[in-house]
Amino acid sequence: VGNYLINQGCFEVINNPFTDFVGKEAISVDNPLDKQRAMLRTCLMNSIRTNIAYNQNRQKDSIKFFEFSDIYKTSGTERRFALVISGRVNKNAAEFNAQLDYAYLKGLMNSICNDILKVQPTYELTNKKGYDFYESLSLNGVKLGGLGKVSKDTINSKVKTPVFACELTIDNLVVPDNQFTSISDFPASFRDLSFTLTDLDKVGALTKLIHDTTNGNDLLTESFIFDFFNNKKLNLLKLGFRFKFQAEEKSLTDEQIDQIMGKLISDSLALDGISIEGL
């Protein structure tokens, strides 16, 4: 996750676990170095807010920070992850005028959950102190924390640029082992089909059929839409699909490919409102 965020232009921060924040579950230090370090922190966001204010007050206009750290409470220790964004998306010609927003933050979290953890996140709009709006995030029915727009009155900065942040408890999260598939040395074959849909509600059924066929056949290794045209006047939708066939142990014959394509074509034509050009 850290490497992914760094590739997205984020910077990792490391904050002191000692703070002056006094909370219900805060643990006090018997011999603090000073009054500002008399407690152990119970969340990461208080430190992250200080990072944001420090950089905004020094005219940093593109801020993307993340932190992995433990927090300490009377109920026990937790491993936490925090991510905060504010300002410009990036410092280049294409993204200079684009602003980091809640959709950008949520997109990062969706990518982390779906692509790295292999779990679909669920969100629920709720209220949380210190946020203008806030959504809790759950994985497999377990609420881990949430994300939202941070209230500007909680950040000691005069900059009005909105700040968006996320903080999650990650003690029980496990990154699944990557499953690698070898690349075949034998040539691949490609077939194209152009579907015409008069019933636009059948798009979902057609794409599901092709998805299930691709996943259910070892020789059909890939399928994707390469052409799209929507004729609004005639209420027609045309979708061009490309299918890739390849085997690991030998070259495929036309008969093998035709058998799979024939079944796919017949199943597609069985759906109402769908035709295939050239047949």
Side-chain angles (χ1 to χ4, degrees):
V1 171
N3 289 336
Y4 166 74
L5 292 174
I6 289 171
N7 289 334
Q8 300 303 313
C10 300
F11 291 87
E12 183 173 9
V13 295
I14 301 174
N15 286 299
N16 198 308
F18 300 101
T19 181
D20 59 353
F21 178 76
V22 179
K24 293 181 179 180
E25 293 190 277
I27 299 174
S28 61
V29 180
D30 290 337
N31 54 344
L33 298 174
D34 53 55
K35 292 182 179 179
Q36 283 72 40
R37 304 179 188 181
M39 312 295 292
L40 289 172
R41 61 178 176 169
T42 57
C43 71
L44 303 187
M45 277 309 301
N46 289 332
S47 301
I48 294 290
R49 285 184 174 92
T50 303
N51 300 146
I52 287 288
Y54 183 92
N55 283 268
Q56 284 186 341
N57 291 333
R58 285 156 182 81
Q59 299 178 319
K60 300 298 181 181
D61 59 356
S62 181
I63 299 173
K64 301 178 186 177
F65 293 153
F66 70 93
E67 182 177 13
F68 293 94
S69 184
D70 292 333
I71 58 104
Y72 308 90
K73 301 188 292 186
T74 55
S75 58
T77 303
E78 294 180 5
R79 188 71 172 168
R80 290 281 183 93
F81 161 74
L83 172 64
V84 62
I85 60 172
S86 179
R88 303 184 189 278
V89 172
N90 219 328
K91 295 181 179 180
N92 56 58
E95 300 172 312
F96 184 75
N97 291 321
Q99 291 290 313
L100 293 165
D101 55 15
Y102 184 65
Y104 187 93
L105 175 65
K106 201 168 183 178
L108 290 178
M109 295 310 304
N110 285 337
S111 296
I112 291 172
C113 295
N114 290 318
D115 300 336
I116 299 177
L117 301 177
K118 307 298 183 184
V119 181
Q120 176 67 36
T122 57
Y123 300 92
E124 181 181 358
L125 186 64
T126 183
N127 296 319
K128 187 175 178 64
K129 185 179 179 181
Y131 290 84
D132 292 338
F133 67 83
Y134 185 84
E135 283 187 301
S136 62
L137 185 152
S138 301
L139 294 180
N140 292 327
V142 179
K143 188 177 295 185
L144 304 181
L147 58 162
K149 181 182 179 183
V150 181
S151 300
K152 286 299 295 180
D153 56 8
T154 65
I155 300 175
N156 187 22
S157 168
K158 296 181 180 179
V159 178
K160 297 181 180 180
T161 305
V163 177
F164 304 91
C166 171
E167 183 171 354
L168 304 176
T169 300
I170 60 173
D171 285 312
N172 298 320
L173 293 185
V174 177
V175 177
D177 293 333
N178 290 321
Q179 299 296 322
F180 296 98
T181 303
S182 60
I183 300 176
S184 175
D185 293 327
F186 295 92
S189 297
F190 297 88
R191 299 288 178 89
D192 295 343
L193 286 177
S194 180
F195 295 91
T196 300
L197 289 77
T198 57
D199 184 359
L200 303 186
D201 292 335
K202 290 295 190 296
V203 172
L206 176 62
T207 54
K208 184 179 186 303
L209 170 63
I210 293 175
H211 179 269
D212 293 343
T213 303
T214 304
N215 289 339
N217 197 300
D218 294 336
L219 301 182
L220 178 54
T221 59
E222 188 179 7
S223 62
F224 58 91
I225 297 174
F226 72 92
D227 190 30
F228 173 89
F229 176 71
N230 186 12
N231 190 330
K232 295 183 178 179
K233 291 183 179 180
L234 299 178
N235 197 32
L236 291 177
L237 180 65
K238 294 188 177 183
L239 296 177
F241 277 86
R242 175 156 294 177
F243 303 90
K244 178 183 177 181
F245 296 86
Q246 193 172 28
E248 294 186 6
E249 299 178 354
K250 61 179 181 180
S251 298
L252 294 176
T253 64
D254 288 337
E255 289 77 11
Q256 290 176 296
I257 299 174
D258 290 341
Q259 184 178 0
I260 300 172
M261 290 299 296
K263 178 69 166 54
L264 179 60
I265 290 172
S266 62
D267 290 344
S268 301
L269 294 177
L271 299 173
D272 294 333
I274 294 179
S275 62
I276 300 176
E277 295 186 7
L279 294 183

